[in-house]
Amino acid sequence: MDEVKVIEIKKSIFEDNDRDADALRVELKRKGVYLLNLMSSPGSGKTTTLIRTINLLKDKIRIAVMEADIDSDVDAVKIKEATGIPSIQLHTGGMCHLDAEMTRQGLAGVDMTGLDLVILENVGNLVCPAEFDTGAVCNAMILSVPEGHDKPLKYPLMFSVCNVVVINKTDVLPYFDFDMEKCREYIRMRNPKAQVIPISAKTGEGVEAFAQWILKEVENWKK
Amino acid sequence: MDEVKVIEIKKSIFEDNDRDADALRVELKRKGVYLLNLMSSPGSGKTTTLIRTINLLKDKIRIAVMEADIDSDVDAVKIKEATGIPSIQLHTGGMCHLDAEMTRQGLAGVDMTGLDLVILENVGNLVCPAEFDTGAVCNAMILSVPEGHDKPLKYPLMFSVCNVVVINKTDVLPYFDFDMEKCREYIRMRNPKAQVIPISAKTGEGVEAFAQWILKEVENWKK
């Protein structure tokens, strides 16, 4: 098994996270690096989606991944083995989210030379990560079919802070009572601008659309 | 649609939650009421599992349910309509967990006369709720098959504080790479005493075993 760098994240001392997040975005803009904050429930398929997406993008742009987790480095190892791109593990030491300063601690462990995109896989949680601006250029989230189409009603903040909602595991749609139209409607209630991209990370269906969305975002950011 | 009581939970001012939780358990013991704290990820099927289980138990013991949610009262309404038992909604106002004092605020809205069991459906989250003792007699959790068998590796605290792990959505086992034996092994790593109960809340398979476990627990508590 590959070894990955593990960074133990310390609790932040900054009081004004929003200001700190804005400052981080300014730094990233100057360096021409796009930071994507990817959030979801545990088990929605973040890592599998990332592997598929990165393999479509890695010949076009230079990517690194930061995997935030309470414990373990299974995801960072998986990403590195399956894509060959730099992947580091951030241990939050039990903390349920990342803020801008914690994200900066992670970025300090990433070689930014010539980099276009850093993807932060946030802690699996639909509540807390939504409350803290990480300094990312954009928030994206994955909702998986087995979780149900009612989630935008129950986790309003998460859906309102995300400009793209990937709906994963469409391959199992026949086995679940998941109403895609209702889901789109509930997402629009929370965030009318949010783009909805149905995919199956397992079969690969729809992943190209997510990859294209990322590519366009990165290009615009570097202008 | 039925109307349900909604309680807006205030942030706690108590500093020593563990002591407060112990005090709440003493009160509950005196009243002969068993409090079960049920935790899981969003979309694991907590509400459907509860409806099935309560319908098996409601003629044998007197039950009430407290549904904790960031927002919305869809779950409390669903439980009340499907089981006919008293069900109240706790709004956490964005907070990602309940502690003992918050649980007590909820219990103040429940008619405890002649009651045997209160089930607290905690906020859907595998991180924060595990960190706070609610004062419950026992913690239970639901892990659903689509979330994957590796979750005990990634959310160690949640699995170590739960003495029963219900594995839901076994009806979709053929469509997911879920290894039940590995899952049992990972759960044992976190909590050797934890009981694992595979069920399908959709078909009803295995729910009787969970109901029997609850019944035995309640009987022991009332001795």
Side-chain angles (χ1 to χ4, degrees), chain A residues 75 94 131 146 154 169 175, chain B residues 75 94 131 146 154 169 175 202:
Chain A
D75 289 342
E131 292 169 24
K154 299 177 70 178
K169 307 192 187 178
Y175 315 113
Chain B
D75 288 342
E131 291 169 25
K154 299 177 71 180
K169 308 193 186 177
Y175 315 114
K202 198 174 182 183

Side-chain angles (χ1 to χ4, degrees), chain B residues 23 28 42 47 61 68 74 77 82 92 103 107 114 118 125 145 147 175 184 191:
Chain B
L28 289 166
T47 310
I61 52 176
V74 288
V77 170
T92 64
T103 304
L107 288 170
V118 177
N125 183 324
V145 165
E147 294 171 61
Y175 315 114
R184 285 180 186 273
N191 185 350

Side-chain angles (χ1 to χ4, degrees), chain A residues 73-169:
Chain A
D73 60 1
V74 286
D75 289 342
V77 170
K78 240 191 258 175
I79 296 266
K80 199 178 169 189
E81 287 182 343
T83 68
I85 69 154
S87 169
I88 65 168
Q89 184 75 47
L90 313 184
H91 277 174
T92 65
M95 282 179 288
C96 53
H97 67 275
L98 289 178
D99 62 17
E101 166 55 22
M102 291 151 83
T103 304
R104 192 181 271 120
Q105 290 174 39
L107 287 169
V110 177
D111 179 8
M112 304 284 258
T113 325
L115 212 58
D116 302 301
L117 169 66
V118 177
I119 302 174
L120 168 62
E121 187 180 323
N122 214 312
V123 180
N125 183 324
L126 285 192
V127 185
C128 319
E131 292 169 24
F132 296 87
D133 189 341
T134 57
V137 183
C138 187
N139 294 321
M141 70 166 292
I142 301 178
L143 173 70
S144 62
V145 165
E147 293 171 64
H149 58 256
D150 63 341
K151 290 300 156 291
L153 300 180
K154 299 177 70 178
Y155 301 89
L157 185 64
M158 176 57 78
F159 286 84
S160 68
V161 302
C162 285
N163 282 331
V164 62
V165 179
V166 172
I167 301 186
N168 190 23
K169 307 192 187 178

Side-chain angles (χ1 to χ4, degrees), chain A residues 41-44 46-47 69-72 74-75 78 94-96 121 123-128 131 146-148 150-151 153-156 169 171-172 175-177 190 202, chain B residues 41-44 46-47 69-72 74-75 78 94-96 121 123-128 131 146-148 150-151 153-156 169 171-172 175-177 190 202:
Chain A
S41 284
S44 67
K46 281 197 297 301
T47 309
D69 233 322
I70 305 293
D71 205 352
S72 95
V74 286
D75 289 342
K78 240 191 258 175
M95 282 179 288
C96 53
E121 187 180 323
V123 180
N125 183 324
L126 285 192
V127 185
C128 319
E131 292 169 24
E147 293 171 64
D150 63 341
K151 290 300 156 291
L153 300 180
K154 299 177 70 178
Y155 301 89
K169 307 192 187 178
D171 54 294
V172 295
Y175 315 113
F176 290 90
D177 305 321
R190 299 306 176 198
K202 197 175 182 181
Chain B
S41 284
S44 67
K46 281 197 295 302
T47 310
D69 232 323
I70 305 293
D71 205 352
S72 95
V74 288
D75 288 342
K78 238 190 259 175
M95 281 178 290
C96 53
E121 188 180 322
V123 180
N125 183 324
L126 285 192
V127 185
C128 319
E131 291 169 25
E147 294 171 61
D150 62 342
K151 291 300 158 290
L153 300 179
K154 299 177 71 180
Y155 301 91
K169 308 193 186 177
D171 54 295
V172 295
Y175 315 114
F176 290 90
D177 305 321
R190 299 306 176 199
K202 198 174 182 183

